[in-house]
Amino acid sequence: MDTDDQEFEPAFRCLTDPVLAQLSTGLDGLDALASEERRALLAGATEAVTEAVRRKVSRLLLLELNAARVTGGLAAADSAERWAEFVGRAGTLDFWRSMEEHYPTLLPRLAAVISGRADAAYELGRRFGNSRSQIADLVAEPDPHLRSVTFGAGDSHQRGRSVAVLELSERNVVYKPRPLGIDVALGAFLDRVFDGVPATERIRVPTVANCGTYGWSEFIQHRYCASPRELRTYYTRIGHWLALARLFGTTDLHAENVIAAGDTPVVIDCETVFTPLQAIKPYDAGDALDRAAAMLAGTVWSSGLLPSRGAALGWRGVDISAGGALPGQQPELRIPRIVGSGTDRARVELGTVAGSAALNLPGPQPDLHEYWPQVLAGFDELTERLRDRDAAGQLAPAMRLFEDVEIRAVLRATEAYAELGRMLWHPVSLHDEASAVERATALLSKQSEATPAAPSDPAVIAAEVAELLDGDIPYFYTTSDAGWLRGPRETSWGPPHDVVADALAHWRSAELTLEREVIRSSLVCAYINDGYLLGDQPMPVADRHRRDLAGRRLRLAASVVERLVESAVRGDDGTATWIAPVMNPTGWSVQPLNADGYSGAPGVALLLAGYQHEVEAGRALPVAGVPELLAATVRNVRMADDARLVRLQAPYRSRPDSPGLYVGLGSQIWCWSQLASLGAVDPAEADRRIDGLAGLLPAALAETADTDLLQGLAGGVLTLLRLADRTSDQRYVEHALSAGERLIELARVTEGRAWWPAPLWPNGIGGFGHGATGIGWALAQLGQRTGRADCSAMADAAFAFEESLWDPAEGGWRDAREESGIATAWCHGATGIGLASAALLRRGYAGTTDHASVVRRAAESCWHRGMGWNHTICHGDLGCWELLAAAGELGLAPAGVDRAEVEAYIVASIEQNDAASGLARSAFVPGLMPGLGGVAYQLLRMDPDCPLPSALIID
């Protein structure tokens, strides 16, 4: 619960004050502390206890306030006075005791929260007094005195214990209520690995004083890099940490655990340096998918250092990685907030808050794509050094430094624990705790089925729930030689094994090619949905000759398909997939290909089917293994579709897929249809699967919050219209109208211009994939099909918004996501804008926009500004080619530019620069829209006789 005021505090001081008074008395008995130090500890504890209780009871107090107002239980004259009346009443023990009938376990649980944090504060005070000499040595301060304490620098564990930051006379120190043997061992290991290199010139961990069951750590001050040279060094050292994370099997290196101290990323919390290897839960969608997931889980991807988008409730789309967490690339978080505080109408509403700037960032707006090559170079550099040490017999002895030290294991995501904790403190749960505990137990058990690392033992799960009831996050730990985990309430979990030996053996088996590909590919995940990265300069194209253009084009297409064949992950059951950046509803993620046409397996299957079709027609070069790979990829898509059906029949409700035309159910429907038309699947099977997917659309449309074409309502509208064309079933048109009416309701209209707020851009954005043009394109077709004038009028208003972004001086449409800049991509910019207008011209759409002018200007912008950045169809040259070809057919191409000239440019560019995806130019991305699969697809479509349909305009 988030609130900006402290007005609820008097309501529960009657609960906290007696305990804090006892704490004060206890602190007075610590002769090793000066009086001002005792006051500082008491002040910090008071703040920590107050905040903990406020978060637990604010919702409950609001409910009781509302009940008192509705029943007439408040007699004051106005709303503010009634609030004060209620808070005064709530500030008595009689009030809290009166609630025992409805909330029987509330007071004992609050007592545990309050006393736990007070006891933790007393423990810290006693330990500080006993450790003053060690702290003096650590901070180089002869007589350190405590001035203030801030508790809660990390999650609370084991009865309210948490990391705390102590302000001393001259500097700060960090208190950690756990053994710091792992910190000492890691520091010594780094000294050996970087033998002779001063700690100030390499990666390091804070200096610590280990006092057995607790310890003190150097406080690391955040500092931005002062120059490009320092930034290059910083990201090289991120690569060094990646190399070590791969050696140890480290996890949990998220943004809060790494601080940028100038040119050095300092890992301030290394308790999860070793993470026991776990089996991967089968997806039940083919061996290839399971094998790819296992391969990926064993790479540096699991470290938490590489950019990645969260999928947990409350964190969907958020990148908390130490190597990413970029400002401006994070969705706003929706959290419950108190509104109307100070009145008897106070209530809880979900509000959005922007994430705070992360201390892992080496600059206020780091150009991550510019420095990512240093990350890979750093990984290679230290990996080679480690391999040399291993070959010389020095690595295994150095690893023995970690014997017998305590290692923490994070078995479930902290966000999952936090969500369950909030549920267990909800008034409904407090009223019927037994049912709430049963729900929490069932959810943890269900998670254990999907996540082998998560405990499934009922005794362990019961202990986890008990910790959450007390307001703590469950804590698991082991030692390197034991392996089995000790958990909350004296429980244990897992088999014994040698954690260090296992990590070393796993590192020695590393496939470095895969590790490097994962590092390269992860870059795009730092950017929430751009999907492409522009360099400072376009790729050079020296010679654009037209000699043997068709033959060169076919050879290039074949070379891309050969790479597909070579890079596939294959299963023993005849399935195949790839590991690559994939576009999900929450953003980009490196993973086995998902079930979408945009960047997933169905799109790759469509490419392979199209390629084989063209080989058989004599318009493509045969590539060994394509028929077998096509069959294996289709089998993978088929098994994923079957697995979805199994999930839908499960007793628990799963989140519906998005309804979008490119990422979502619409894309899958289109791919099944095209696979049937190309002879890759039986038409009867395609019809059956399309009908099944179509049945999921109403629920997906009802739950989506997205409005765009790519994955939201607009994409669902067009999918439903295409289904109506296919089946002549009028119900699809009715569903499309319902979705269209929601789009109209959600529109913001000013001066005849319509836009739709997006999570990162509340004032709307333009473009086809995510913005106004795509939504307008869907509404225009809905209006044509149904005769609904409101749909057509809103479409024209959307096109008017896009026109407001036209910059005649720059010759393009401004990218509303940026402060400046012209966009030319299909997803954001001229390519998609122009293709939409070209499609409407072909349909004979009569609106208020001059679509011929739009096509002409878009083609000019693409040719002069959009070429040379990468080769994809979503945001590169092959997308521009489709628009320029369409403009030529309509007589609207740029002056003096013919189709052969465009194709000669593209063929020469690929020959001279290699096919580039734009996500990370040196990474191989197989996806149809954002990757090299689409490059091969468009190279085939350049043949005038090629029947393959457009993947950009599904019309």
Side-chain angles (χ1 to χ4, degrees), residues 536-616:
D536 294 329
Q537 298 293 329
M539 296 177 289
V541 184
D543 184 3
R544 309 178 189 183
H545 69 86
R546 304 186 187 187
R547 296 185 299 276
D548 189 27
L549 191 57
R552 292 157 58 208
R553 173 178 57 80
L554 293 182
R555 288 190 289 275
L556 289 174
S559 70
V560 172
V561 173
E562 286 170 355
R563 291 180 68 183
L564 275 173
V565 173
E566 294 166 359
S567 59
V569 178
R570 301 172 189 268
D572 294 335
D573 60 350
T575 56
T577 190
W578 291 260
I579 297 171
V582 169
M583 177 68 171
N584 291 305
T586 56
W588 290 92
S589 177
V590 176
Q591 63 180 67
L593 297 192
N594 64 11
D596 288 319
Y598 182 88
S599 56
V604 177
L606 177 56
L607 160 66
L608 292 169
Y611 194 87
Q612 186 61 26
H613 180 276
E614 294 302 277
V615 168
E616 293 170 0

Side-chain angles (χ1 to χ4, degrees), residues 331-419:
E332 291 187 329
L333 300 177
R334 292 179 61 79
I335 63 170
R337 305 190 68 175
I338 297 176
V339 296
S341 180
T343 74
D344 68 343
R345 298 279 178 173
R347 63 197 182 278
V348 174
E349 287 185 359
L350 281 177
T352 57
V353 296
S356 58
L359 299 182
N360 68 299
L361 296 175
Q365 293 285 344
D367 294 324
L368 199 57
H369 62 278
E370 181 178 346
Y371 295 102
W372 207 246
Q374 273 72 43
V375 174
L376 187 59
F379 174 81
D380 286 342
E381 176 187 308
L382 188 54
T383 297
E384 183 177 355
R385 181 189 289 252
L386 291 170
R387 286 181 174 263
D388 289 344
R389 294 282 196 279
D390 194 32
Q394 300 170 354
L395 189 57
M399 296 282 277
R400 285 199 288 270
L401 291 165
F402 297 95
E403 289 178 354
D404 300 324
V405 299
E406 184 175 302
I407 299 167
R408 184 186 174 196
V410 179
L411 305 186
R412 304 185 199 268
T414 300
E415 300 87 54
Y417 280 136
E419 288 292 333

Side-chain angles (χ1 to χ4, degrees), residues 307 368-370 372-373 517-535 539 579-584 587-591 593 598-600 770 827 869-877 915-935:
L368 199 57
H369 62 278
E370 181 178 346
W372 207 246
E517 195 73 11
V518 167
I519 295 169
R520 279 191 290 258
S521 298
S522 68
L523 171 60
V524 69
C525 303
Y527 299 87
I528 191 164
N529 68 4
D530 300 66
Y532 61 98
L533 304 170
L534 299 183
M539 296 177 289
I579 297 171
V582 169
M583 177 68 171
N584 291 305
W588 290 92
S589 177
V590 176
Q591 63 180 67
L593 297 192
Y598 182 88
S599 56
H770 298 284
C827 46
W869 304 104
N870 66 82
H871 299 116
T872 66
I873 64 175
C874 176
H875 40 260
D877 291 356
S917 72
L919 295 162
R921 283 183 174 175
S922 56
F924 180 69
V925 183
L928 182 64
M929 297 290 287
L932 303 188
V935 172

Side-chain angles (χ1 to χ4, degrees), residues 90-168:
T92 66
L93 285 175
D94 287 342
F95 170 84
W96 290 95
R97 289 168 181 156
S98 73
M99 291 202 293
E100 287 184 315
E101 179 182 354
H102 293 290
Y103 312 109
T105 62
L106 173 62
L107 286 179
R109 287 174 59 183
L110 283 176
V113 170
I114 296 168
S115 64
R117 281 152 182 78
D119 291 346
Y122 176 81
E123 183 178 71
L124 169 56
R126 178 170 51 80
R127 289 173 169 178
F128 181 84
N130 293 338
S131 306
R132 200 181 296 270
S133 61
Q134 291 100 316
I135 295 172
D137 292 339
L138 179 66
V139 301
E141 191 173 324
D143 187 20
H145 275 69
L146 180 61
R147 299 178 61 183
S148 69
V149 183
T150 302
F151 290 91
D155 299 314
S156 70
H157 306 285
Q158 300 172 321
R159 297 198 72 248
R161 292 178 173 86
S162 67
V163 175
V165 177
L166 283 63
E167 181 187 359
L168 306 180

Side-chain angles (χ1 to χ4, degrees), residues 554-882:
L554 293 182
R555 288 190 289 275
L556 289 174
S559 70
V560 172
V561 173
E562 286 170 355
R563 291 180 68 183
L564 275 173
V565 173
E566 294 166 359
S567 59
V569 178
R570 301 172 189 268
D572 294 335
D573 60 350
T575 56
T577 190
W578 291 260
I579 297 171
V582 169
M583 177 68 171
N584 291 305
T586 56
W588 290 92
S589 177
V590 176
Q591 63 180 67
L593 297 192
N594 64 11
D596 288 319
Y598 182 88
S599 56
V604 177
L606 177 56
L607 160 66
L608 292 169
Y611 194 87
Q612 186 61 26
H613 180 276
E614 294 302 277
V615 168
E616 293 170 0
R619 292 186 293 266
L621 300 176
V623 172
V626 167
E628 296 79 9
L629 184 58
L630 170 59
T633 307
V634 169
R635 179 171 171 78
N636 175 41
V637 176
R638 181 182 292 122
M639 294 186 72
D641 197 43
D642 291 341
R644 178 199 286 110
L645 181 61
V646 172
R647 289 197 306 273
L648 291 173
Q649 294 172 342
Y652 61 93
R653 186 174 179 273
S654 59
R655 191 187 314 163
D657 288 357
S658 66
L661 188 59
Y662 296 90
V663 175
L665 296 170
S667 74
Q668 297 165 50
I669 288 170
W670 182 70
C671 285
W672 279 113
S673 173
Q674 296 307 315
L675 287 171
S677 69
L678 292 168
V681 298
D682 183 87
E685 179 190 4
D687 288 345
R688 175 173 58 82
R689 294 190 181 277
I690 288 170
D691 289 343
L693 293 165
L696 304 177
L697 275 170
L701 287 165
E703 295 205 19
T704 186
D706 295 310
T707 56
D708 66 8
L709 192 66
L710 200 78
Q711 61 190 21
L713 284 169
V717 166
L718 287 179
T719 298
L720 289 162
L721 291 181
R722 303 295 182 264
L723 286 168
D725 292 339
R726 171 179 167 270
T727 63
S728 300
D729 188 336
Q730 187 63 23
R731 288 176 300 176
Y732 289 127
V733 178
E734 293 169 1
H735 287 309
L737 265 176
S738 177
E741 288 166 353
R742 276 188 65 199
L743 280 172
I744 293 172
E745 292 171 3
L746 293 169
R748 305 287 187 268
V749 183
T750 302
E751 298 179 349
R753 299 190 295 270
W755 75 93
W756 286 261
L760 286 177
W761 308 286
N763 296 322
I765 55 176
F768 187 76
H770 298 284
T773 287
I775 299 171
W777 189 62
L779 288 171
Q781 292 177 70
L782 184 61
Q784 271 192 318
R785 179 63 178 264
T786 63
R788 285 279 295 265
D790 56 344
C791 295
S792 299
M794 190 60 70
D796 289 337
F799 299 142
F801 174 82
E802 194 73 70
E803 277 298 286
S804 73
L805 299 175
W806 171 256
D807 187 333
E810 294 290 337
W813 285 267
R814 296 192 307 277
D815 189 343
R817 301 168 302 159
E818 309 288 344
E819 293 183 3
S820 62
I822 298 299
T824 58
W826 167 86
C827 46
H828 297 282
T831 297
I833 293 168
L835 283 171
S837 284
L840 290 174
L841 285 174
R842 295 192 192 99
R843 282 179 167 269
Y845 178 78
T848 58
T849 300
D850 184 350
H851 289 289
S853 171
V854 171
V855 174
R856 182 181 296 107
R857 284 178 286 138
E860 288 275 359
S861 185
C862 280
W863 181 243
H864 293 295
R865 304 185 60 115
M867 303 294 290
W869 304 104
N870 66 82
H871 299 116
T872 66
I873 64 175
C874 176
H875 40 260
D877 291 356
L878 272 304
C880 291
W881 166 80
E882 185 159 332

Side-chain angles (χ1 to χ4, degrees), residues 301-344:
W301 181 249
S302 298
S303 67
L305 269 166
L306 295 172
S308 177
R309 296 285 161 186
L313 186 63
W315 289 91
R316 290 173 190 156
V318 179
D319 173 21
I320 61 170
S321 67
L326 296 180
Q329 292 292 337
Q330 303 283 42
E332 291 187 329
L333 300 177
R334 292 179 61 79
I335 63 170
R337 305 190 68 175
I338 297 176
V339 296
S341 180
T343 74
D344 68 343

